[in-house]
Structures are given as structure tokens and as C-alpha cells.
Amino acid sequence: MGASKSKEDAPAAEAGAEPDKAPSSVSSEVDEDPPDNGAFYCSLCNWIGTMYDRFDKAFVTFFILQNINHGLWIIAVLAVKDYYKEYLGLDPGEMAIYISIIHIPWSFKIVYGLISDNVPLFGTRRKSYLIIMGIIQFLTLFSLYAFEFDDPLVVAILLAFASMSEAFTNVVSDAIMVIQSRKDKKFGSQDFITLLYLSTGTGGALGCIIAGIMTEYFHPKWSFYLYSFNGVVISFAACFLTRKSEKDAHTREVTSSEQSTELEDYEIEQRRLMVREGVDPREARNTPVPKRKGFCFDLKQNCRQIGKAVCMREIYQLVIFFILLATINPAFSEFSYFFLLDVIGISKFMFSMLVLIGQLCHIVGALIYKAFCRNVDTRTMVLCSFITTIISNFLNFCFAKRWNLGWGIPDIVFLLFTDNVFAIIGTLLYTLPIMALFAKITPKKIEGTTYAFLTGTMNLGSTVISPGIGTFINSQWVGVKKKDLSNYSTLVLISLICSIVSLALLPLIPSKKNVKEWVTKREAADVIIRKTRKERRAAKRKEDEAAGLIDPVDDEVPPAAPADYE
């Protein structure tokens, strides 16, 4: 959007920055209104054009295609619901368990981030994985079409592999997105998240139409067949990515003196350990030290940096928030699917159309967020989201009790004007602000793993913990089954009560003021830590000179390289 050049883009000397001050992952700039993209009828096209101007063109194209593919995942979701209910005859509780298994791979996104960050494949760290994951998506989905398995666990495992390929691709794409978003520090992260939801919503809308037709008139295996070829599209698009796509333009280059000093410190430390083990100092001095390269060393360094990132207050508070939110908010979506089809009597095609309208509402919510809400504090947005969730759950309870008929409101009309309105609000007030916050607080150099850890924790709560607790509550106390849905309203009442309790978790969402304050304190502490380490290094050097491990020098030892250099 052609945002003006920020203070961080200027050299440190011009900005008057302290030489020892660590770069911040959060902008300290004053809030500004987003740039104008022209009249409303051409604003979207102009805005997408600015995305290609500001960021890597090959990646923007891949990012759009990948998120459309992610939105098309709804084809597999609706197809497997129909497969389990109509062809395998599962109860809603059983179906919820198997669908949770399908989504478990999304909870291990941090593992995919560690692999992509530390294990180069065919000379690249990310491109090769994207190509391979597209192929896996094709093979797993095509096998469901070819063999028509009648074991629900086998179906769940195959779809879990497809889900893993989606999650891995998502992790790698998000890591590059975080790097690219730094090219526009003011609105880069918000714009990428908006583009993500526009693309996902577009794919979801197309997927609902396809799934609605296929599940209504054909065997669900044909849905898997059609969706499988999107994996081929992703693999093809990934072939055009370059090393430039994942290069961070704002990362400071490490000087040769810093690298040599870091290597020297490492070698001295290894020889010092030899002396402690009884080796003669002269022999230790002449013994070659193995190079610290390879997967184990890189993984150790990466895990150390992730540990530091998790200790950041803004990150661990969000992790606690997602776990607690999922624990006290049980999900009953599979029970709702049975209620709508068997009690309300809507067709599978109509159910898909309701999901379609919900996907379109996500697009509308993303557009509203882009236009008006990118500068609003995340905590404020989440508070409004909690309030609207309470209202939505109350209306769902009214619907479950069939009160809408007493008010003269038909079921379809009630569904259209409640679920879809709140779908827009949910995207606008909760999902988009949270995802944009992720991109802003993710530390440099470990974008893939940290962003994956946050989104993986969020997915673990929403797709595994919350449905699992919902299934447990139903099996222990409520007893809703395929042939007896009379107590469904009790499940909705539980959701309503739990959504009210969720308001107590709001302080765990960091505000802009909180994040800036914590970053400032961390930077001040880092300056002290670096100064202390420098003094200790100088003292150890004198000891090593006296022990004969190194030659005495008159020059001052250069400062050690930052912990996050490549």
C-alpha cells in the first residue's frame, strides 16, 4: 500500500540508536491510518497490486494459491462427514473423535517448523518441502477415491496425512510471510493476514459449492478425487519460488570479525574442557577442534532460541490463553451437523450452502478488517468478539429449543441471519487480529517455528482439546446419540455458560501498550547481559593466556556476534 519509510529503515547512526540495543520484533511507531487505495469499486484490485509491488511477486502468487487450496479443504471435511454418517453409520460422538484425529497434525506445526528451518532438502530449506507436500496431498486423497476404505480409522489416518501436508505447507508459507511482511513494518502483517483470509474464503466458497453438489448426488469419494489435484497445483507453484523469497531484507549482516570471534570463543571453550579433563595445555592448544555444523548443532541453537521466544511474556500469555479457552469452551459442531440434518431436515446440499455463505462472510469480514480495523488494539477486538459469541450462543440455544418457530421465524431464515452475521463478526473481531498479532510478535530468525508454535497451539485447542472435551461431556452427562438428539439443547446451553466464563481470560491478551513496554524492558536487560558477557569473556581470556591455551594479544577482543546470526 505504499506506506512511507519508517524509522527502522534508517541506519542506526541516523536514528540515534544505542550500538548495543537489540532490534525489536515489534514496531514502536505511532499509529497511522492505512493508505488510501482509491474508490471502493477498484480498491481491492489496487490493494492486491500494491502487494505485488511491496513484496516478492513469486511468493505473493504462491501465497494466494496455497490459501485457496487451504480453503478448498472444506471439500474433504464435508465429504468425510457424509462418508462417516451415511456410509459408515457413526454416531456424532464417534465422528467427532475421528475428525479430531484428522486435525491432530495441525497441532504439531512447531515440528514442521523445526524440520524446515534446520534440515535443507535438495539444497533448499523450504521450496523442496512445499513440492513434496503437494505430492503427498495428491497421493493420500487419490487413494481414498481409488480404494473406498470401510474402516473409519483408516479413512481418518489417510486424511490425517493429507492434513499434515496442508499443515506443513502452511507452516512454511507462514514463515516466509512473516519475513516478507517486514518489508512494510506499518501494515505488512495486517495486509498479509487479510490476503490470507480473502484467499481462504474464496477457496472455501468454491469448495462448498463443489462439496454440496458431490455429496448430494454422488459418492463422497468423488470429492476426494477432485480435491486431490490441488496438490499438483501447489507443487507446480512452489517450483517458481527463489531464495530471494525468504530473504529478510532487514536482517543485519554479520561481519567477518564477529564470525571469527564467535568461532574463536567456541574453540577456546572446547580446549578449556580438554584441560579440565586432564589434557596438557600445550597438547590441547594443538588439538584440532571439530567444526560445529550439522543438524544437531542447528537444532540445538534453534531450540534455544525458541525457548527464549516462549519466555517472552506476550507469547506465553497467548499460549496459556488458547489452552484455557479450549478447556472451558467445549465444541459440539458434529452434534450440530446431526441436529441440522436429522431434526431440522435440511439437505446435505443446503448444509453446504450454509457453509458457503459462512465462507463468503469470512471474505466480507476480511474486507471490513482491511478497511477499518487494522489499527484497533487486539484486546479490544477480542473483547467485542467474546460479547458477540455470547449473543450467538444464546440465539443458538433459542434455535435448539425451537423458540424461533414460536416467534414466526422459519428455520432457514433464522440460520441465515444469525450464523452468517456472527461468522462475519467472528472473523473480523477475533481471528484476523490474533493472526496479525502473531506476525508482529514473532522473533526474527525463527519465524517458521515460533509462528507455527503459536498457530499450532491455537489449532490444538480448537480442533482437538475443545471437541474432545465436548465429546467427553456428552458421553458422561448428556447422552446425545444419532437416534436420540432430544438433549441437544443442553449441549448448547453448556456452550452459552462457558462463553460467559471466557470473559475472565481477556487480560491474557497483550495490548499494544503491553507489548511495547515488555519489549523495552527486554532490550534494556539484553544490553546489561551483553555487557556482563563481554566482561566475563575478557576475564576468561586472561586466564587462558596465563594457562598457555592462546597467545596474549594487545588488541581488545571484538564483541561477540548476536545469538541469532546465521
Side-chain angles (χ1 to χ4, degrees), residues 43 107 188 190 268 280 284 318-319 331 335 369 386 406 436 467 492 563:
S43 173
S107 305
Q190 294 95 322
I268 293 172
D280 183 80
L318 282 174
V319 172
F335 299 88
Y369 177 80
F386 280 0
V492 182

Side-chain angles (χ1 to χ4, degrees), residues 48 92 126 208 323 343 385 446 458:
I48 293 177
R126 295 187 170 104
C208 289
I323 299 299
V343 177
S385 172
I446 47 173
M458 187 177 179

Side-chain angles (χ1 to χ4, degrees), residues 491-513:
L491 298 179
V492 182
L493 179 61
I494 293 172
S495 294
L496 173 60
I497 295 172
C498 291
S499 62
I500 297 174
V501 176
S502 300
L503 288 169
L505 302 179
L506 190 65
L508 290 173
I509 299 293
S511 64
K512 287 183 179 180
K513 181 179 179 181

Side-chain angles (χ1 to χ4, degrees), residues 153-212:
L153 182 59
V154 173
V155 174
I157 291 174
L158 283 172
L159 283 174
F161 274 102
S163 180
M164 182 273 295
S165 69
E166 285 261 2
F168 205 120
T169 302
N170 185 263
V171 168
V172 176
S173 176
D174 287 347
I176 303 176
M177 177 200 73
V178 173
I179 294 173
Q180 288 288 319
S181 67
R182 294 191 183 122
K183 294 181 179 180
D184 181 357
K185 293 190 175 183
K186 291 181 182 293
F187 303 110
S189 61
Q190 294 95 322
D191 286 347
F192 263 114
I193 295 300
T194 303
L195 182 62
L196 182 153
Y197 270 85
L198 285 174
S199 303
T200 304
T202 301
L206 293 174
C208 289
I209 296 173
I210 295 171

Side-chain angles (χ1 to χ4, degrees), residues 183-393:
K183 294 181 179 180
D184 181 357
K185 293 190 175 183
K186 291 181 182 293
F187 303 110
S189 61
Q190 294 95 322
D191 286 347
F192 263 114
I193 295 300
T194 303
L195 182 62
L196 182 153
Y197 270 85
L198 285 174
S199 303
T200 304
T202 301
L206 293 174
C208 289
I209 296 173
I210 295 171
I213 296 173
M214 301 305 292
T215 55
E216 184 72 22
Y217 301 106
F218 302 97
H219 192 285
K221 70 176 184 178
W222 291 101
S223 297
F224 300 132
Y225 172 78
L226 291 177
Y227 182 50
S228 66
F229 289 98
N230 284 279
V232 179
V233 175
I234 292 302
S235 295
F236 179 75
C239 293
F240 293 92
L241 295 178
T242 63
R243 294 182 184 273
K244 182 181 177 182
S245 302
E246 53 185 281
K247 182 179 179 181
D248 193 344
H250 293 277
T251 300
R252 182 179 65 86
E253 295 293 334
V254 181
T255 64
S256 58
S257 62
E258 289 176 334
Q259 291 187 10
S260 61
T261 302
E262 184 76 3
L263 179 61
E264 179 183 316
D265 290 343
Y266 169 73
E267 293 177 347
I268 293 172
E269 182 63 30
Q270 294 303 306
R271 293 191 172 98
R272 188 181 295 124
L273 292 175
M274 295 179 190
V275 173
R276 290 175 184 173
E277 293 173 358
V279 179
D280 183 80
R282 294 183 179 179
E283 181 181 350
R285 180 177 178 180
N286 297 324
T287 301
V289 176
K291 294 183 178 180
R292 46 174 197 169
K293 291 183 179 180
F295 171 74
C296 293
F297 174 76
D298 291 340
L299 181 62
K300 182 179 179 181
Q301 290 291 99
N302 213 246
C303 290
R304 185 180 300 170
Q305 290 174 328
I306 292 170
K308 292 180 180 178
V310 173
C311 291
M312 292 168 57
R313 187 170 177 180
E314 56 267 38
I315 290 181
Y316 73 70
Q317 281 196 186
L318 282 174
V319 172
I320 296 172
F321 170 79
F322 291 133
I323 299 299
L324 291 179
L325 184 66
T327 303
I328 65 177
N329 276 275
F332 305 104
S333 57
E334 312 312 327
F335 299 88
S336 300
Y337 177 74
F338 277 76
F339 180 77
L340 290 174
L341 267 63
D342 295 344
V343 177
I344 305 301
I346 67 174
S347 65
K348 288 179 283 187
F349 180 78
M350 180 56 68
F351 180 81
S352 297
M353 292 303 100
L354 289 173
V355 179
L356 164 64
I357 297 173
Q359 295 292 331
L360 295 175
C361 290
H362 285 312
I363 298 176
V364 174
L367 291 173
I368 295 174
Y369 177 80
K370 179 187 80 69
F372 305 108
C373 302
R374 287 183 291 169
N375 232 13
V376 182
D377 189 75
T378 303
R379 183 183 289 179
T380 303
M381 301 285 279
V382 174
L383 171 61
C384 296
S385 172
F386 280 0
I387 294 173
T388 55
T389 299
I390 294 172
I391 298 173
S392 175
N393 286 335

Side-chain angles (χ1 to χ4, degrees), residues 435-509:
M435 299 292 282
L437 179 62
F438 286 174
K440 279 191 172 294
I441 66 176
T442 298
K444 294 182 180 180
K445 298 295 182 182
I446 47 173
E447 295 88 357
T449 46
T450 307
Y451 196 89
F453 175 69
L454 290 170
T455 54
T457 304
M458 187 177 179
N459 289 324
L460 175 67
S462 61
T463 63
V464 178
I465 296 177
S466 188
I469 291 178
T471 301
F472 176 78
I473 289 173
N474 176 71
S475 64
Q476 294 296 315
W477 296 290
V478 184
V480 173
K481 295 185 178 296
K482 180 179 181 179
K483 297 182 179 179
D484 182 13
L485 297 167
S486 57
N487 290 330
Y488 171 73
S489 60
T490 304
L491 298 179
V492 182
L493 179 61
I494 293 172
S495 294
L496 173 60
I497 295 172
C498 291
S499 62
I500 297 174
V501 176
S502 300
L503 288 169
L505 302 179
L506 190 65
L508 290 173
I509 299 293

